[in-house]
Amino acid sequence: MSVFRSTSQRDFNEDDEEDDNDENKASDFVSFRTISPGAGYVPDFESDEEDGDKDEVEQLLADAEDRHGFHTVRKEVVKPHKPLVGVEFDPAWNKKIGAVEKTPKPPQQDEDSPAEEVDSEPEDYIDHASPRSWIEEVDFECESEVTSDPESEYDAPPDFESSNPVDACVTRMTLSQNVTIEYPDRYHVDPIRAVTWSQEKRAAELRDITLRFMEKMCTDIYLLVDKRDRKKVLVFDQSDEAVVTFSVKVNKDEKDVGYRYEARIKNKSNWVTRMAYCKGDEIKFHATEVESFYIVKIPIKETEIIQPEGNTLSFKHSGGVSMDMPSQTVEMPQPIAMQLSNVDKRAMVKRHSLFPEKFKLQKVSQRLFVQHDIEKFNKAFSVKLDLESFRDIDAGPLEPVAILWNDGEPTIKSKAECSLSQEANRVVMTMKNFPNKSGLSVGLVAPGKMNQDEAKLAYADVFMCKITIHIKIVNPQEATVYINCIMIENLPSLLDQYKPLWLIGISEDFYLKNFQRIRIHLSGNSIRKRSSRQKVLNCFIVFSNRARENCLSFRIDKDTRMGGCPNTVLDFSLDSGSKRKLHRQEFDPWMLVGRKPGCFDKSSVFTLSKGQTFVGLKTPRPL
């Protein structure tokens, strides 16, 4: 005789309500098995034996089933925390016992739960569906979780592939023409946009931010804003970081072989660093808390071993640079870390085509940077470098020049320190020493024409810029001034863009690094006017080579007080480092009232407008 008992989910729910301590309340079903007296089976609850006898018990049960044709078992509780793994059930049992209802695991987040969007200002709109309240913005602090120092222990970038689960359903949102985001579709995200930082925000928040040696900007700095242009902090659950992906389209020139990428991200309180990777025409990174971000690239560090018997050191991603170490150069195997900085060839070719008279460096190699603990090289060794050309025309006789880099500054190596031999576009340099934490490159210039700043320009360490000043007359008592810090290769297009306005002056050439600040001071017969939206007057231009424009514009009013200066004066100076002056412009904008731009005569503004550059203490020059 066999006894079967099928208990529905409803029965168990009733049992749960009657007795919360019932040991059977967590079971999906309870089965009964009756033992025949002749089966020779001793129930395990009456036995003190270990679980190792279970196989023997299962064999006895199988014999009893064969003899009697039914299951004879004891009452047993199936505990949920000890699932029956590896047990094959008879499909016929489902018909006898009935369907078993499985209790689904509670999800970590409800369907259509909102991604947290945190307003940075208390007066902004608060998403009440968000599980957290807004967090007040704190002082700026840079805390990088991944160092971008060229001395850091990076050998090569990890093999980044999409870590999204195959069954993950994601939503893709376009934030701007170049920026998109992908996130799990269970989040509800209100429409947001990615806009570039304004000059006011750069001046307020980039005071302590700099790029290290060999770091290069790949994108502008983006800020997330809502439909009312209020900044937002977009927050997802940290467990979803692998499936929250930001993608930024970049020019093909930014996808350099031999570089790794980092995303610098500003969250609610500080800056952090996340690894990024290039896929197609986009650079991607994963993050779950973002207000602003930008992307930089850094040369990959490769480590080789100098062997006592001699060997050749080369790069996996570049065949244009190698080091030949003869036997006994070192007494024991010595590791050496190497990095290569590529030449900014596209920009240099454009500069040479527009202003050939300004540049004397005709060809240059990649820059080799090394880091090691070798006190002395016992023998001279050779370094082979391929050259990049900026001009197709014959520039006359050229000579190779060796350039040594220390702390980002170049110096010309004398012929006594090294010897150079050139064959076509390859130069072989023989030298006896290569200091730790230093760089090396070779350039081809006309004899005696080497400019060290031009060498830094070739690797995009600095940028050659000019300041342009334009003005628009609004009425006899009011005007708008437009000040641009422009790279010289973009100067022709900017002058075309501002043709409808008065061109007041153009500065001499000067060099800038990314995030350097230019202070602008206004004096004379004009007073700067504050707009209704401005809390403070911004008097800085913070330069970025990836920004669409580095422009500061403001309104000025005519100063009608007695005894005032007859001219308006604009002074430009660097706000950091030496704080040297860059340019001064004197002009009278109120002489332009009633005139059309481009109508020049002897009484025009240019009879009083003059620009003065402070480089080398040059005298004022009329424009």
Side-chain angles (χ1 to χ4, degrees), residues 342-355:
N342 291 342
V343 179
D344 191 8
K345 184 176 180 179
R346 177 176 172 271
M348 289 299 293
V349 169
K350 188 175 181 180
R351 293 169 189 141
H352 275 260
S353 63
L354 292 173
F355 310 100

Side-chain angles (χ1 to χ4, degrees), residues 340-381:
L340 277 182
S341 293
N342 291 342
V343 179
D344 191 8
K345 184 176 180 179
R346 177 176 172 271
M348 289 299 293
V349 169
K350 188 175 181 180
R351 293 169 189 141
H352 275 260
S353 63
L354 292 173
F355 310 100
E357 71 284 355
K358 291 181 180 291
F359 303 102
K360 308 303 179 183
L361 186 62
Q362 307 298 316
K363 297 182 180 181
V364 72
S365 70
Q366 291 176 297
R367 180 172 55 195
L368 172 63
F369 184 87
V370 298
Q371 182 180 352
H372 58 76
D373 295 324
I374 304 173
E375 295 182 359
K376 180 182 178 181
F377 292 88
N378 297 327
K379 290 186 178 182
F381 55 92

Side-chain angles (χ1 to χ4, degrees), residues 482-528:
Y482 298 88
I483 301 173
N484 282 277
C485 179
I486 188 73
M487 294 183 290
I488 62 166
E489 59 266 30
N490 299 329
L491 180 62
S493 60
L494 181 131
L495 294 179
D496 289 340
Q497 178 185 350
Y498 280 85
K499 269 186 177 180
L501 306 183
W502 285 102
L503 174 60
I504 299 301
I506 303 177
S507 75
E508 297 285 354
D509 302 330
F510 57 91
Y511 292 93
L512 281 180
K513 296 180 180 180
N514 269 311
F515 300 158
Q516 272 194 295
R517 298 153 58 92
I518 300 175
R519 179 185 291 271
I520 303 168
H521 181 261
L522 174 70
S523 61
N525 65 351
S526 298
I527 302 173
R528 186 169 173 183

Side-chain angles (χ1 to χ4, degrees), residues 8-131:
S8 66
Q9 187 68 29
R10 175 185 171 186
D11 295 333
F12 286 111
N13 291 340
E14 293 175 355
D15 293 341
D16 293 345
E17 295 175 359
E18 293 175 0
D19 187 3
D20 289 341
N21 297 322
D22 189 354
E23 65 177 354
N24 297 331
K25 68 177 181 179
S27 301
D28 288 336
F29 65 92
V30 177
S31 61
F32 289 85
R33 294 181 293 184
T34 305
I35 304 299
S36 175
Y41 167 66
V42 180
D44 58 358
F45 56 84
E46 296 178 2
S47 174
D48 293 331
E49 296 179 1
E50 300 294 334
D51 292 340
D53 297 331
K54 289 184 179 180
D55 292 340
E56 180 180 357
V57 172
E58 294 297 330
Q59 183 62 39
L60 294 174
L61 291 176
D63 295 340
E65 179 180 359
D66 293 338
R67 290 194 301 269
H68 301 283
F70 56 84
H71 297 282
T72 56
V73 297
R74 64 179 177 84
K75 180 177 179 180
E76 180 178 353
V77 177
V78 181
K79 298 182 180 180
H81 61 279
K82 292 184 179 181
L84 299 176
V85 179
V87 179
E88 296 182 0
F89 292 94
D90 188 350
W93 291 5
N94 291 333
K95 296 181 180 180
K96 298 178 181 180
I97 299 176
V100 178
E101 296 182 10
K102 296 183 178 180
T103 304
K105 183 180 179 180
Q108 295 181 352
Q109 194 158 355
D110 296 338
E111 296 294 329
D112 287 336
S113 58
E116 183 180 354
E117 299 177 12
V118 182
D119 296 331
S120 298
E121 299 294 339
E123 63 270 13
D124 290 350
Y125 168 76
I126 305 301
D127 186 0
H128 296 285
S130 175

Side-chain angles (χ1 to χ4, degrees), residues 1 19 53 181 241 260 278 284 288 416 423 476 482 534 565:
M1 175 181 178
D19 187 3
D53 297 331
I181 181 176
E241 182 168 348
R260 60 183 177 89
C278 190
K284 299 175 178 288
T288 56
E423 182 178 350
Y482 298 88
Q534 287 180 314
C565 179

Side-chain angles (χ1 to χ4, degrees), residues 575-609:
D575 191 55
S576 58
S578 62
K579 297 188 177 181
R580 65 185 178 92
K581 293 184 178 180
L582 299 174
H583 183 70
R584 167 178 283 187
Q585 193 74 40
E586 298 180 10
F587 62 101
D588 187 0
W590 313 115
M591 293 183 62
L592 296 175
V593 176
R595 300 177 181 272
K596 293 183 179 179
C599 297
F600 302 111
D601 55 37
K602 292 183 179 180
S603 61
S604 69
V605 68
F606 291 97
T607 60
L608 293 177
S609 178

Side-chain angles (χ1 to χ4, degrees), residues 533-579:
R533 297 181 59 184
Q534 287 180 314
K535 297 180 180 179
V536 294
L537 287 176
N538 175 37
C539 58
F540 297 100
I541 290 180
V542 182
F543 174 77
S544 170
N545 73 306
R546 291 302 171 193
R548 185 175 59 180
E549 61 179 10
N550 294 284
C551 177
L552 178 63
S553 61
F554 51 86
R555 293 286 183 94
I556 58 174
D557 289 340
K558 185 175 182 180
D559 188 359
T560 58
R561 294 175 297 180
M562 297 294 294
C565 179
N567 297 329
T568 295
V569 180
L570 287 170
D571 287 306
F572 301 86
S573 61
L574 289 179
D575 191 55
S576 58
S578 62
K579 297 188 177 181

Side-chain angles (χ1 to χ4, degrees), residues 155-163 260 275-279 286 300:
D155 293 333
D159 186 14
F160 279 101
E161 294 293 341
S162 176
S163 57
R260 60 183 177 89
M275 297 301 297
Y277 59 98
C278 190
K279 187 175 183 180
H286 303 291
I300 295 173

